[in-house]
Amino acid sequence: MAIRHDTRRRFEQWAKNPDCEANTISAVAGVDMQKVATAEGLESSMGQSPFALARGVTFERRLFEDRAARLYEALAEANLLPADSSGFVDFRMRMNGGPMKDLDSAVEATRRLLVEVAEEGVGCLEKVPNLAAAATLTVPGQPVMLPEGKVAIDALLLRPSQTDDLVELVIGEVKTYPFRAGNTESDDLATSRAQAGVYLHALRLVVDELDLGDRLVLSSMGFLVLTKAGRNDPAILPAEDLEFQARRAARGFERLRQAAIRLDPFDPEKEDGAIDAVRNGSVSYRPSCLAFCDRAPGCRHRAEEAGDGAILGDDVKRFLGNVPLPRAIELLHGAEPGGEAEVDLQLRMRSVTTQESA
Amino acid sequence: MSSRDVVRRLEAFDAGGPLPRGATLHLKCADPEDLLALAFLRMGGESLPWAIGLKKPFEEARIFAVPDARDRDRVAAMLVELTPLLAIHLEHPQWAEEEPGDEEPPLRQIWVPNGSHVELLHMLNLRYTFARGGDPDRAAMLRILGRMAGYLFREAGRAGESTIVDGSAALREAFTFPADDLRQQHLGFLIALLEPNLHRGVRMQRAEEAERLSVSTSLDPDFERDRLEPVVERYNSARRSDPTSAARHEEAITALLAREVERRLDLTLEAVRVLEGDAREMNAGAVRLAHESTEARQRDFLWLEGQIVTSGEDNGFFPPSPETDRDARTGAARYHRLSGGAETFAAALIHFDSELQEDAVSDGQAIRGTITKVEDRSPEGFRGTVPVWTIEAPSSDPTKFRRGSGVCVAGVPKRSGLVLDIGEDDGVRRVEVEINGWKRRPKDESFAHVLAAIDPDLEGTEIVLLSSSLEGISALKSRRVRDDTGPGAWLTHGEGTPPPTEKADGEAAKLLAELEGIRVA
């Protein structure tokens, strides 16, 4: 079956609703939820605009063309690279406009670059490229059910460390949404930081695995490359603290690994079996699922039938606890509560309705 | 979301449809000739508009579109066409036919389908406020659009304003819908739920159908891929080689986009119709807020535009930057004004809405009780009165009032007082309040029913005491932070001379010694 290789995307999908077993199976096995939705007779609702995809490709191409001249200029302006920095190495695959024939080649080339700068120290920055596109890493230590643990860092800076003679690596994430100063969409920024945090976590794992930890400095301050509103020029957000997001990624990968171990075994290489495994997993519907999961409309209908308070929002779900909606309505109308939870719920509902009836 | 809101949502779910929220309407709709619906469409991944629609109630829509939103020149040309129409609606001085008279200017309102359209105004603000390139006249026109969009975007962030209205937010303010917050962002979904006389199943089915159609600035990706992308490609192929064919494709693109824009405009005006048809009374506070919005338009937009029309753009009058405050005091003043918006909004409405008052009572921010005693505690020889009321309320209600809390009487904002004492006994909370504002019978005719604070007939009256309005504090702070004459202005505003540091004598020396003494103690 077509395993999705984008570990970061699978991880982020899982992180959006880690309580949903079906979502966990989908992330672990790399099963596309669109296929699960199709198998359930649902129409896909997560399509992407062809223009938006093209815009992303165009922006990235322009950013890295002429040996990344445009990006270099913006990075120097943001004081992220010394003015005398130079050199660009492209680890993107051919399908993305780069020279690499496959992911394995990109991983190997990235590894060689890391080893070289670690061994030679800051002196090598004059001869090695100071900017790498799509530095690709294999996330080590994952169980068999995450066979393709690979991530590609959009932009990786190599610059002298401020404290010693080592090379410092700085992670950058490229996005095409516009920079709107303090009004930039906070959800978009949070997602971008989370993604960059996954890269930092992966880079730490790889550097440890190569035993280069004491010869490379990994900056926990990354940067985001956005667009300027109505233009194709990059806008750099230079001081993004990724430490918390990297720790979140470390915890998340561990939780995902534990979740994978607990799952009933199935053969992820057999598509029908994997899809069935997702379909048979229990679901935990949240309204926010509609924003990322093709299967969410079906889950919502099931939640409606089950009287799940989540269909009225997360706050209602929290307020009701495990009491189903129809029962909550009965309690609202004065039905005799049948347990501590129902007594408590009825009291809380009465405390805000007595004024009205008074 | 408060517990009360959760229960309201449960009640709406039980009722099978939306329920009115609030006993009054909290937004004043402008007269039809002063109301304009505005909607944008964006090409996926682009931040500037692909198509724009304007529509007034009972009039035909005006649609502007370009064949490819990646063609920046065509987009700019489209926006140049839009600028005067928006500017005239906002009474921009450059298009004024006559000098403004003494009569009160009308509330000019712009309605958009949802928040994404407000965000697009910010994109225009960011892109064009300082536009310089190309034809100077075109650039000047785009700068007007940038400033206008900036004003509208900033104003949209001020709670309680009535100039730029997000249609879905306006409906959410007026009704409680039985759906999660995410779904409630969709104007079509909300309007379908509001359709009267439908069985709950049918209503929900229609709402689900409605929410499948996008109302934001983005188009449905399938629609873009299947319908638009092929025509846009054909247009781009034909553009240089076959103008006739390109024109035909352009027409086809415009027709597709126009349908989408018109649907958004119609939904927006439907939201206006729903609110105008609502039987609830208009909250008197909302009328005041509408008036203040007009004042804000004159102060924050038209004044600067007037200066620019008179003196030119580079003569000491600068539009607010979309990216930074530049001048710290201006930024601070604006911050206080915006952050005080929610306070002003709540304070303006609560006096005239019993449901909002109930919310405040449930939250402990108000007390509902009965006046059991009215006394005059004026000291001997004092010519005035010192009315003190004893109010009894159930002690089961939460309260955040303490001795010294400032209060005012719901419905009579200027009748204010101070809590002298508060205690509980046998399930009864007794609050003693000294009335210090509007002690006499008000002369204002709209408050003719209000007795003097000392009138014994007040005994037995049920009242709601609200936390005294902090309204005005933010406005005061906003003015104060701009003031460059106060002490320390040399430090905070870079104005005036700093105090001498080497030697102080006379009063200054005494003051410094005193300060040092306090510091040491």
Side-chain angles (χ1 to χ4, degrees), chain A residues 279-309:
Chain A
R279 291 183 67 183
N280 293 333
S282 63
V283 294
S284 172
Y285 170 74
R286 289 178 185 174
S288 57
C289 294
L290 289 163
F292 74 95
C293 183
D294 282 290
R295 211 181 164 212
C299 295
R300 190 178 67 208
H301 277 293
R302 282 188 288 275
E304 279 167 0
E305 281 165 14
D308 185 345

Side-chain angles (χ1 to χ4, degrees), chain B residues 245-486:
Chain B
S245 171
R248 206 176 58 244
H249 296 314
E250 181 172 340
E251 221 169 273
I253 295 167
T254 304
L256 286 168
L257 295 175
R259 227 170 32 223
E260 286 288 315
V261 182
E262 282 187 52
R263 187 166 55 74
R264 285 161 173 79
L265 292 171
D266 289 343
L267 280 172
T268 309
L269 290 177
E270 184 62 18
V272 178
R273 198 192 58 75
V274 165
L275 290 178
E276 286 195 321
D278 196 292
R280 280 173 284 175
E281 259 183 48
M282 178 59 60
N283 189 305
V287 178
R288 200 195 94 196
L289 289 170
H291 173 73
E292 286 174 4
S293 284
T294 303
E295 285 179 346
R297 174 164 57 92
Q298 291 173 310
R299 185 186 61 230
D300 297 344
F301 175 59
L302 296 179
W303 179 84
L304 177 69
E305 293 302 309
Q307 300 305 317
I308 290 175
V309 167
T310 312
S311 314
E313 282 187 84
D314 297 317
N315 281 305
F317 298 101
F318 303 104
S321 165
E323 292 190 29
T324 177
D325 294 318
R326 296 202 198 284
D327 178 29
R329 72 186 101 173
T330 308
R334 197 177 297 141
Y335 164 77
H336 284 301
R337 205 136 44 83
L338 283 178
S339 64
E343 247 168 42
T344 309
F345 183 43
L349 300 176
I350 195 167
H351 284 280
F352 310 101
D353 193 311
S354 56
E355 204 172 315
L356 291 181
Q357 290 167 19
E358 290 306 340
D359 282 356
V361 171
S362 310
D363 200 31
Q365 302 278 9
I367 288 181
R368 171 184 289 285
T370 307
I371 302 175
T372 54
K373 199 196 290 183
V374 176
E375 308 167 66
D376 179 5
R377 291 193 189 168
S378 54
E380 212 172 314
F382 183 64
R383 290 175 62 191
T385 59
V386 180
V388 175
W389 297 351
T390 302
I391 296 148
E392 290 186 359
S395 63
S396 54
D397 289 348
T399 185
K400 291 178 180 167
F401 288 169
R402 299 286 177 266
R403 194 179 296 171
S405 298
V407 293
C408 61
V409 178
V412 196
K414 290 190 177 167
R415 174 156 285 174
S416 56
L418 198 71
V419 174
L420 297 179
D421 195 19
I422 187 161
E424 284 176 27
D425 191 18
D426 282 343
V428 176
R429 176 173 294 130
R430 283 187 188 79
V431 188
E432 274 190 6
V433 178
E434 179 187 324
I435 301 298
N436 53 24
W438 267 25
K439 297 185 200 176
R440 294 181 185 173
R441 197 169 185 147
K443 287 178 186 159
D444 188 333
E445 275 182 24
S446 47
F447 293 101
H449 60 288
V450 177
L451 302 175
I454 202 67
D455 195 322
D457 284 351
L458 284 168
E459 288 179 9
T461 312
E462 190 177 270
I463 60 162
V464 175
L465 280 182
L466 304 172
S467 188
S468 75
S469 170
L470 294 175
E471 196 189 356
I473 295 285
S474 298
L476 186 68
K477 283 183 187 169
S478 180
R479 278 198 302 278
R480 286 276 169 87
V481 292
R482 290 185 78 103
D483 184 3
D484 57 10
T485 58

Side-chain angles (χ1 to χ4, degrees), chain A residues 47 49-52 55 178 180 183 185 229-231 287 300-301 312-313 315 319 325 329 333 352-353 355, chain B residues 1 4 7 9-10 14 44-47 72 119 122-123 127 178 180 182-183 208 211 221 224 229 358 397:
Chain A
S49 157
F51 299 115
R55 159 93 159 143
R180 294 171 53 211
N183 293 292
E185 199 62 53
R231 303 167 199 255
R300 190 178 67 208
H301 277 293
L312 295 184
D315 288 325
F319 190 84
L325 266 176
I329 299 297
H333 289 308
V352 289
T353 49
Q355 289 300 326
Chain B
M1 195 175 177
R4 207 172 151 76
V7 172
R9 200 172 283 183
L10 288 171
D14 184 33
E46 296 299 313
S47 44
R72 306 264 190 266
E119 282 172 17
H122 191 218
M123 303 291 186
R127 179 65 188 87
D180 65 70
L182 196 65
R183 295 180 94 186
E208 280 180 22
E211 76 180 329
E224 279 196 324
E229 191 189 21
E358 290 306 340
D397 289 348

Side-chain angles (χ1 to χ4, degrees), chain B residues 168-191:
Chain B
S168 62
L171 291 182
R172 290 195 301 274
E173 175 68 31
F175 297 94
T176 297
F177 291 90
D180 65 70
D181 293 347
L182 196 65
R183 295 180 94 186
Q184 288 190 44
Q185 303 297 317
H186 195 289
L187 183 59
F189 176 77
L190 301 184
I191 285 174

